[in-house]
Amino acid sequence: MKLFFYVLSVVLSVQVVCSQPETTKNKPNIIFILADDLGYGDVGFNGQTKIKTPVLDRMAAEGIVFTRHYAGSTVCGPSRASLITGLHTGHSPVRGNPRWTRSGAPVDLSQTQNTVAKELKKAGYHTAVIGKWGLAENLDEGKPHHQGFDYFFGFNRHGPAHHYYPERLWENDSLIELTGNVMKDKVGKYSQDLFTDKALEYVEKHHDSPFFLYLAYTIPHYELTIPDEYKTYYQQQDWPMREMKMGHYRHDRNGHVTYASMVSRMDDDIGRLLAKLNELGVSENTLVVFTSDNGHEYDRVNDPFFDSNGPFRGRKRDLYEGGIRVPFVATWPGIIMPGTTSDHPSAFWDFLPTACDIANVTPSAPTDGISYLNALRGLRQKNHDYLYWEFNERKGPIQAIMKGDWKLLYFVGSHYELYHIEKDPAEEQNVYQEQHERAKELKELLARARSEHPEFPLVKLEKSKK
């Protein structure tokens, strides 16, 4: 009976929101928080025991966990492009990281590209991206103000985002100097703190009208470094030393302590943001989503310490589950039933139609996504015909397609692998030879799941040295 009345209240609440499209003030705020290279198993609500994530775990208790949520790609550039455009990597304008193209030149979003920020801006939202944008390598059309964002603070390019003590950051269309920061010496203002402070300022300034905040943290991407005062708890643990060496990445010496401290610091900062929503009285009108852009990079697969990929095979740069299945938790008081989980297969390209659904507008351009608003609300949810990925770096080209619980991987020019994800989530039993009809069906889907792109052919590529 309690469940019945909760569902009834949810339906009525959503009807109230959606029945007033002419009043933008009543539209829900949307905050999308993205970690960088955080594994499925790096959070407490997915079984992590060494790294403490009490805020994210509380979000799971107060909201919903998606257990089958997938990143747009297994590396950050194309994954973020998929999130922003609503297109999977078979259709996205950005299908690889900057130097993995046929010409060796980076590909960015064009000014004409439809994005979730453009959609929400048209729906009356103020829009912001804070942190790692990474879709404007050419510092031209791909810059956030060309992609629907009213405010930007952070990194336009990938390379500078590798460092936590940057000497300059972009604010809107200006590159500003961070006085006192010395990147190589790791002194000055820690970028994670700067991003969180800017996010708090943004919410404070814009909470009286609907806003969309895309908070793209760089934690826990290499380099592994954090101010010493954030390491106290983990330095007291009886953990083995994992020695990290300095090079391009200015790592701190003890990898295990630093990695855990970085994740917990991010968790704490998310807690500060949630507290600000409560303080401002807007938490009940705000959807907060947290996820990661791809699988982990830090934990050793053959000798794991944190079990960052949970029960799954692979990591960043793999199209096995460990490379693309990512943690996902969302809260929205009064709309999302506390303590719920969903095994609905969803992906980054679903976010654009979901945001449009929340804002009560129709996407103005084709998308590969399906709104998961009903899944958030615990209602009947439409499923995808299939999910598709492609990846072409050192291990590539590789394609993957998933239909229901069946997943086919094609190592182009080499071989196929077929797995039943529900029965074999670790992808240990390749049944390609036994399941001829299923393999044939998925191969036919694979053949028509993508469009050609001159910069992202399915042939072996070499990384540009430009």
Side-chain angles (χ1 to χ4, degrees), residues 405-419:
D405 290 324
W406 288 98
K407 180 180 175 185
L408 181 74
L409 289 94
Y410 178 37
F411 296 80
V412 178
S414 177
H415 67 283
Y416 291 92
E417 296 176 9
L418 179 65
Y419 301 97

Side-chain angles (χ1 to χ4, degrees), residues 162-163 184 186 222-225 241-256 258 298 300:
H162 291 173
H163 305 292
K184 287 187 176 180
K186 298 184 293 185
Y222 280 2
E223 64 195 1
L224 300 185
T225 185
M241 163 73 79
R242 179 174 171 184
E243 186 89 27
M244 304 297 291
K245 296 181 180 179
M246 279 205 191
H248 168 75
Y249 296 115
R250 312 300 290 171
H251 295 306
D252 293 352
R253 182 168 174 249
N254 192 329
H256 291 337
T258 305
Y298 173 74
R300 293 186 173 111

Side-chain angles (χ1 to χ4, degrees), residues 14-36:
V14 172
Q15 286 177 343
V16 169
V17 169
C18 295
S19 66
Q20 300 179 14
E22 72 285 351
T23 308
T24 59
K25 187 174 181 180
N26 293 325
K27 291 188 176 182
N29 307 310
I30 302 171
I31 298 178
F32 194 100
I33 306 171
L34 189 67
D36 198 338

Side-chain angles (χ1 to χ4, degrees), residues 6 14 63 72 77-78 98 121 176 180 215 222 251 262 276 316-317 356 365 369-370 404 417 459:
Y6 184 88
V14 172
K121 191 172 170 63
I176 60 172
L215 180 53
Y222 280 2
H251 295 306
M262 291 172 75
K276 175 61 71 174
K316 181 178 180 178
R317 298 184 183 89
C356 287
I370 295 174
E417 296 176 9
V459 298

